[in-house]
């Protein structure tokens, strides 16, 4: 029995070593999307020694992205190399040397190990991109999406590499936030999953794994929390048989529900230790983004009360009061 046990342990160890040997060592990364998320991912990948190509639609966008990365690197070096300015300057130079830009995604993916998509949260647009790149990327190349709300499986199905497709959900601001959610679909191979986990660690992040479920881990808990805060604020507006239009009239005068938005924010900051209250966070994230997420989840699970839309949120988005980026959301900003 002891012999059999030792033999099993040796066999299991051998299998694990073989699986590890098959993992893809990601060296060359192509990032599609030069916005805050894409630029942030490009920064941490280049800073950790990866060869990075950042892709977007115009040179103007890419110049802005590169400038933003350089400014971010300067802020990082002030802390990381506070007593060694020369080492900080060398770090910035070395990081920027690892980074190039392009406006032609198809021409730069021919030699890449990993493609990370960080474009608009629109499934049709993402699928069109992945379907195109699938024709030009090498067989070994892994595709990953940075989506925070869409199903990875639906994107993978737009390609012929479902086993080499997963999710890499970074958090904003990427250089500062340590977490990455690594999403595994039913078709994602173990080799692909482990390669994505290793890449996350290589860029200095702490990966957690999750199945392809709405919102993954963080947003699945965070978005319903923010929506429940809105419901708490608008609670007394819900009346049996009330029409949507009359409901909006009631909402327009902003009568208090079970608690004011200010008190809800203070309560969650002082009582739960959160850095921002739910309404402050909604304004920071963008009310349009939050509405897009909850509407998408509601279409998938219409009977789930956690995913129920909010009339007040819908009204503010309709009025283009989207939060900090427009100067007004639940609060007004100068």
């Amino acid at each position: 029995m002891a012999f059999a046990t030792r033999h099993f342990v040796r066999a299991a160890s051998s299998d694990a070593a073989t699986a590890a040997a098959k993992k893809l060592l990601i060296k060359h990364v192509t990032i599609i999307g030069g916005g805050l998320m894409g630029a942030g991912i490009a920064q941490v990948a280049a800073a950790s020694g990866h060869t990075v190509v950042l892709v977007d639609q115009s040179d103007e966008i890419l110049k802005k992205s590169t400038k933003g990365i350089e400014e971010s690197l300067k802020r990082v070096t002030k802390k990381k190399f506070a007593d060694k300015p020369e080492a900080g300057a060398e770090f910035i130079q070395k990081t920027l040397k690892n980074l190039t830009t392009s406006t032609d995604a198809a021409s730069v993916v021919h030699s890449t190990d990993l493609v990370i998509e960080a474009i608009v949260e629109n499934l049709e647009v993402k699928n069109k991109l992945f379907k195109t790149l699938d024709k030009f990327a090498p067989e070994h190349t892994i595709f990953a999406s940075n989506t925070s709300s869409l199903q990875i499986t639906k994107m993978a199905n737009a390609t012929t590499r479902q086993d080499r497709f997963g999710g890499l959900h970074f958090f904003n601001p990427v250089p500062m936030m340590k977490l990455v959610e690594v999403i595994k679909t039913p078709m994602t191979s173990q080799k692909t999953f482990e390669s994505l986990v290793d890449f996350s660690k290589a860029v200095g992040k702490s990966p957690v794994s999750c199945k392809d479920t709405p919102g993954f881990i963080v947003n699945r808990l965070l978005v319903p929390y923010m929506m429940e805060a809105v419901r708490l604020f608008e609670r007394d507006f819900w009346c049996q048989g009330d029409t949507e239009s009359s409901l909006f009239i009631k909402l327009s005068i902003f009568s208090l529900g079970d608690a004011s938005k200010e008190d809800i924010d203070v309560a969650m900051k002082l009582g739960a230790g959160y850095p921002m209250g739910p309404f402050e966070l909604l304004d920071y994230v963008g009310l349009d983004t939050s509405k897009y997420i909850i509407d998408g989840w509601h279409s998938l699970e219409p009977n789930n009360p956690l995913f129920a839309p909010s009339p007040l949120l819908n009204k503010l988005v309709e009025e283009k009061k989207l939060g900090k980026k427009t100067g007004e959301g639940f609060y007004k900003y100068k």
Side-chain angles (χ1 to χ4, degrees):
M1 181 68 179
F3 171 79
T5 302
R6 287 196 299 270
H7 179 73
F8 174 79
V9 171
R10 285 198 299 270
S13 299
S14 177
D15 290 343
T18 301
K22 291 181 179 178
K23 286 190 293 184
L24 175 64
L25 179 60
I26 295 170
K27 296 181 179 179
H28 190 292
V29 185
T30 300
I31 298 163
I32 314 296
L36 285 175
M37 293 302 297
I41 298 168
Q43 177 181 324
V44 297
S48 53
H50 296 83
T51 300
V52 179
V53 181
L54 181 61
V55 180
D56 212 304
Q57 295 177 327
S58 72
D59 288 324
E60 184 179 353
I61 294 173
L62 291 168
K63 286 179 182 177
K64 184 178 179 181
S65 301
T66 304
K67 183 178 179 181
I69 290 171
E70 190 169 358
E71 291 300 318
S72 178
L73 286 169
K74 289 177 181 177
R75 291 192 292 271
V76 170
T77 55
K78 282 184 179 180
K79 294 182 178 179
K80 189 175 182 180
F81 301 96
D83 301 324
K84 300 177 181 178
E86 292 182 0
E90 184 180 348
F91 170 74
I92 293 174
Q93 186 178 8
K94 188 176 180 180
T95 299
L96 293 176
K97 190 176 180 180
N98 290 334
L99 175 66
T100 57
T101 61
S102 175
T103 56
D104 187 357
S107 68
V108 298
V109 298
H110 60 84
S111 60
T112 195
D113 299 317
L114 173 64
V115 173
I116 303 176
E117 166 274 315
I119 62 174
V120 62
E121 283 286 86
N122 182 297
L123 184 62
E124 185 179 346
V125 175
K126 290 179 188 288
N127 282 351
K128 184 178 179 181
L129 171 69
F130 282 125
K131 189 173 183 179
T132 299
L133 297 185
D134 191 37
K135 301 173 183 177
F136 295 94
E139 185 178 349
H140 78 275
T141 304
I142 296 173
F143 282 9
S145 174
N146 182 59
T147 182
S148 61
S149 62
L150 300 175
Q151 282 190 305
I152 303 295
T153 303
K154 289 184 177 179
M155 290 180 241
N157 286 337
T159 74
T160 60
R161 60 185 78 217
Q162 289 95 334
D163 61 324
R164 287 151 288 154
F165 206 115
L168 277 179
H169 182 215
F170 289 80
F171 290 79
N172 188 37
V174 178
M176 303 299 296
M177 300 294 282
K178 297 293 290 183
L179 183 67
V180 174
E181 292 176 323
V182 183
I183 313 306
K184 187 177 184 181
T185 76
M187 304 94 73
T188 306
S189 70
Q190 187 64 20
K191 171 185 173 180
T192 295
F193 173 73
E194 291 180 4
S195 298
L196 291 175
V197 169
D198 286 351
F199 171 74
S200 302
K201 292 178 180 178
V203 299
K205 304 303 179 184
S206 298
V208 294
S209 63
C210 185
K211 293 181 180 179
D212 191 15
T213 185
F216 314 134
I217 297 175
V218 174
N219 282 340
R220 180 61 181 263
L221 298 175
L222 185 62
V223 173
Y225 150 72
M226 293 190 295
M227 293 302 296
E228 184 58 21
V230 177
R231 295 184 192 107
L232 190 64
F233 174 51
E234 67 182 6
R235 187 86 70 197
D236 69 348
F237 301 126
W238 292 96
C239 301
Q240 188 72 24
D242 223 350
T243 64
E244 189 171 309
S245 58
S246 64
L247 180 61
F248 280 172
I249 292 173
K250 290 184 179 183
L251 289 173
S252 66
I253 62 174
F254 285 89
S255 300
L256 293 180
D258 290 339
S260 71
K261 61 181 182 294
E262 292 84 2
D263 283 350
I264 293 171
D265 278 348
V266 170
M268 293 311 295
K269 286 189 288 186
L270 300 185
Y274 289 5
M276 301 174 73
F279 292 96
E280 293 171 326
L281 186 56
L282 280 161
D283 278 355
Y284 178 78
V285 170
L287 304 193
D288 53 337
T289 300
S290 301
K291 172 178 162 53
Y292 182 86
I293 292 172
I294 206 68
D295 286 351
W297 294 359
H298 180 64
S299 67
L300 290 173
E301 300 182 26
N303 296 322
N304 189 334
L306 292 176
F307 299 163
S310 159
L312 176 54
L313 181 63
N314 291 346
K315 180 177 186 292
L316 291 172
V317 172
E318 185 181 336
E319 294 175 348
K320 307 298 181 184
K321 297 175 181 177
L322 308 181
K324 294 194 75 171
K325 60 186 175 184
T326 59
E328 183 176 357
F330 284 102
Y331 296 107
K332 291 183 178 181
Y333 303 87
K334 294 181 179 180

